Amino acid sequence: MGRYINKPAFIFPAPSCPWGYLFQRPQQIASTLARCGFPVIYCVDVQSYCEPDWSVRGLKQLHPNMFLFNDGNYGNLLSKLNVPSVIWQYWPLQNKSIRNLVSNCVYVYDCIDDLSTFQQYDDLLIDHEESLHRANVVLATSDLIFKKIYDSRPDVILVPNGVCYEDFGRPERVFWPKLERLRNKSKVLVGYYGAIAEWMDFDLIYYCAKQFPEWNFLLVGQVYPNVTIEQKELFNTNNIEIWPRQDYDRLPYLLSKFDITIVPFKINQITMCTSPVKIFEYMAGGKPVVSTDLPECRKYTSVLIAKSKEEFAQRLEDSLKLKNDESFINELFKEARNNTWEARVSTVLCALKSKGLI
């Protein structure tokens, strides 16, 4: 670590969102910090069967400044790290391992989801409150999370999710015969990628598929255990397909084949607090976005919002007319460029610097 003597190390503690799983906020922020020249240590563990997580023993360099770490002991060996450090916490559960990490370091508590989203355990609220109290900088990904935190931390900073614009603006070609066949047979291809979870509105998807029998609807992602058999049976229709989760580096090419993209979420406590990463990626790919009435999607003028299943179907038709509209596509690109991970990280670095913490 000698060459980083003037740079604090950013540590993303265990237990972690697996590096090889859905490449979302924690991994994107870690990667962006590394590109900014900071050494980043992202803790992984062998409880994840993803690669490269599973094979990490000790320190593994992914790319310049970016390291995966596994000591088999929730990163406790990092307590011996003799460099200035910033701990970037994003789960209340990480509070247990953070207590054993580097002393006298700086703490960022990144409140990425409503507490109801996390696996529940007895000390969840205690860990959350302790993390809020200890942190030097507290972040909220959505307006509703911001409001919930504000009384405890009036200095909380709103930092929504973002996009690595370059990844989606110029997608590399992928050898994917199955995707090419679906694209060739689809008059219109409506696409979604991400978690296929209980907060998805399966009735809405089924309704739209019935409204447009000549269109194809493709959902790509891991089906969560809480998705019921009844919900899964809704997809016994000819123009809906569910494909397994894909690695992040394949998503830009997948997106390039869609005509329309969707965020078909139910409106509930979880989704009202959600800043969907995918809307910024959809924008960067120049694809019209149709969403249910989520507060964090309402903020963006290029997103077409629907408050009912009938309106959602109408917005799909509207977006088909817009998909080749140059001014609309430029608006998509503009909003994507205004919401990059670089901009998000810059906000946090400025907050740390203004407090004299780095």
Side-chain angles (χ1 to χ4, degrees):
M1 287 287 181
R3 65 192 176 100
Y4 297 119
I5 194 166
N6 294 319
K7 291 272 192 179
F10 280 82
I11 299 173
F12 287 69
S16 62
C17 179
W19 189 268
Y21 185 53
L22 293 175
F23 200 75
Q24 299 214 347
R25 184 181 180 94
Q27 301 97 320
Q28 289 279 14
I29 288 177
S31 295
T32 304
L33 285 165
R35 289 196 297 272
C36 291
F38 294 95
V40 178
I41 299 173
Y42 192 98
C43 294
V44 300
D45 59 71
V46 295
Q47 294 180 24
S48 166
Y49 292 95
C50 300
E51 286 292 350
D53 302 69
W54 172 251
S55 60
V56 175
R57 303 293 185 274
L59 202 64
K60 177 184 177 68
Q61 185 167 7
L62 288 182
H63 47 77
N65 307 323
M66 184 70 238
F67 302 88
L68 300 185
F69 180 71
N70 175 25
D71 62 1
N73 195 25
Y74 286 94
N76 283 347
L77 278 179
L78 292 175
S79 63
K80 310 298 182 184
L81 192 63
N82 191 27
V83 297
S85 301
V86 180
I87 309 297
W88 193 296
Q89 179 186 0
Y90 52 92
W91 287 348
L93 180 62
Q94 294 169 326
N95 196 40
K96 293 179 175 61
S97 60
I98 285 172
R99 295 190 190 110
N100 300 320
L101 288 181
V102 186
S103 60
N104 299 320
C105 58
V106 173
Y107 292 91
V108 173
Y109 184 32
D110 191 1
C111 301
I112 64 174
D113 283 307
D114 186 77
L115 291 181
S116 64
T117 309
F118 299 109
Q119 183 175 354
Q120 302 298 295
Y121 61 96
D122 290 343
D123 291 338
L124 174 63
L125 289 176
I126 294 173
D127 284 342
H128 175 64
E129 291 298 328
E130 184 177 326
S131 301
L132 282 176
H133 178 74
R134 179 185 53 233
N136 301 95
V137 173
V138 176
L139 314 178
T141 57
S142 71
D143 286 339
L144 287 180
I145 293 177
F146 181 95
K147 291 174 183 176
K148 290 180 180 183
I149 292 172
Y150 185 82
D151 287 343
S152 298
R153 289 296 300 251
D155 60 342
V156 60
I157 304 170
L158 180 64
V159 181
N161 285 320
V163 62
C164 185
Y165 183 84
E166 293 76 14
D167 288 349
F168 292 85
R170 297 185 297 273
E172 294 185 6
R173 184 175 178 82
V174 175
F175 180 70
W176 204 337
K178 183 179 180 181
L179 178 59
E180 306 298 346
R181 287 195 294 271
L182 179 61
R183 175 65 272 182
N184 290 337
K185 78 172 188 177
S186 300
K187 179 179 180 181
V188 175
L189 184 57
V190 179
Y192 167 91
Y193 61 74
I196 300 175
E198 61 272 20
W199 53 78
M200 287 188 72
D201 192 335
F202 296 97
D203 292 333
L204 170 64
I205 299 167
Y206 184 71
Y207 173 84
C208 291
K210 288 297 185 183
Q211 292 296 114
F212 304 106
E214 295 183 354
W215 296 11
N216 285 289
F217 290 73
L218 176 60
L219 312 178
V220 180
Q222 182 169 333
V223 179
Y224 276 31
N226 289 342
V227 174
T228 66
I229 296 298
E230 290 77 16
Q231 289 169 330
K232 292 175 184 177
E233 286 178 349
L234 289 175
F235 296 101
N236 291 329
T237 182
N238 292 331
N239 62 333
I240 299 176
E241 294 194 27
I242 303 178
W243 291 3
R245 176 180 63 84
Q246 300 296 315
D247 290 341
Y248 175 78
D249 59 5
R250 293 168 67 87
L251 295 182
Y253 188 68
L254 172 68
L255 177 59
S256 73
K257 297 298 180 179
F258 296 162
D259 294 299
I260 305 166
T261 60
I262 55 174
V263 185
F265 292 173
K266 297 175 181 176
I267 306 300
N268 59 30
Q269 182 177 350
I270 291 175
T271 61
M272 293 276 282
C273 294
T274 297
S275 170
V277 173
K278 60 184 61 60
I279 67 167
F280 305 112
E281 295 174 350
Y282 292 167
M283 290 173 185
K287 303 298 178 179
V289 186
V290 180
S291 173
T292 50
D293 192 21
L294 303 175
E296 292 300 310
C297 290
R298 271 188 239 130
K299 295 179 178 181
Y300 305 101
T301 59
S302 65
V303 178
L304 283 70
I305 299 295
K307 298 181 179 180
S308 67
K309 61 184 181 181
E310 293 82 8
E311 190 174 10
F312 200 97
Q314 182 59 57
R315 292 290 175 265
L316 289 176
E317 286 193 302
D318 295 341
S319 63
L320 191 60
K321 299 171 186 175
L322 291 170
K323 79 182 190 76
N324 295 316
D325 184 304
E326 185 175 350
S327 63
F328 177 74
I329 301 303
N330 286 336
E331 181 64 20
L332 287 169
F333 290 151
K334 177 183 176 182
E335 292 204 294
R337 287 193 295 267
N338 288 340
N339 292 279
T340 63
W341 289 118
E342 286 76 10
R344 305 306 192 221
V345 165
S346 177
T347 297
V348 182
L349 292 176
C350 286
L352 291 168
K353 290 175 183 176
S354 70
K355 294 187 176 188
L357 298 171
I358 61 172

